[in-house]
């Protein structure tokens, strides 16, 4: 079994970060679903949560800096 997450379609918001007019980073906010993946079976949804991630732009490349996943809720079956 392998746990995975998938973005909830339409939930992603992105906020650019500027200093003196220059883009240096960004914040992502949205919701993701958690699934269990097993070989030869469909992914099984197990939960949903909100997330926030901070990224920095360094030498032309985006680098993940910090992330939070919160308000975890089980999937009601």
């Amino acid at each position: 079994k392998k746990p995975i997450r998938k973005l909830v379609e339409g939930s992603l918001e992105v906020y650019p970060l500027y200093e003196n007019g220059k883009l240096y980073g960004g914040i992502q906010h949205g919701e993701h679903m958690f699934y269990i993946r097993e070989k030869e079976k469909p992914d099984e949804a197990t939960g949903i949560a909100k997330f926030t991630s901070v990224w920095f732009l360094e030498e032309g490349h985006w680098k993940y800096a910090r992330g939070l996943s919160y308000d975890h809720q089980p999937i009601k079956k």
Side-chain angles (χ1 to χ4, degrees):
K1 294 182 179 183
K2 179 181 178 183
I4 62 167
R5 2 179 161 179
K6 297 179 185 178
L7 179 66
V8 172
E9 190 172 330
S11 72
L12 185 62
E13 298 175 7
V14 178
Y15 302 92
L17 299 173
Y18 293 93
E19 185 172 341
N20 297 323
K22 183 179 177 187
L23 179 66
Y24 74 91
I27 297 172
Q28 292 179 315
H29 176 73
E31 290 184 305
H32 51 200
M33 297 274 298
F34 292 88
Y35 295 83
I36 293 293
R37 179 169 285 172
E38 292 186 71
K39 195 172 186 177
E40 299 181 22
K41 291 185 179 180
D43 293 345
E44 180 183 345
T46 59
I48 188 167
K50 295 179 174 84
F51 72 90
T52 301
S53 302
V54 179
W55 295 78
F56 291 115
L57 186 56
E58 297 177 2
E59 298 177 5
H61 299 282
W62 288 100
K63 306 233 177 173
Y64 177 79
R66 187 84 168 185
L68 300 169
S69 182
Y70 50 93
D71 194 27
H72 290 249
Q73 303 293 322
I75 296 297
K76 295 179 174 92
K77 296 183 181 186

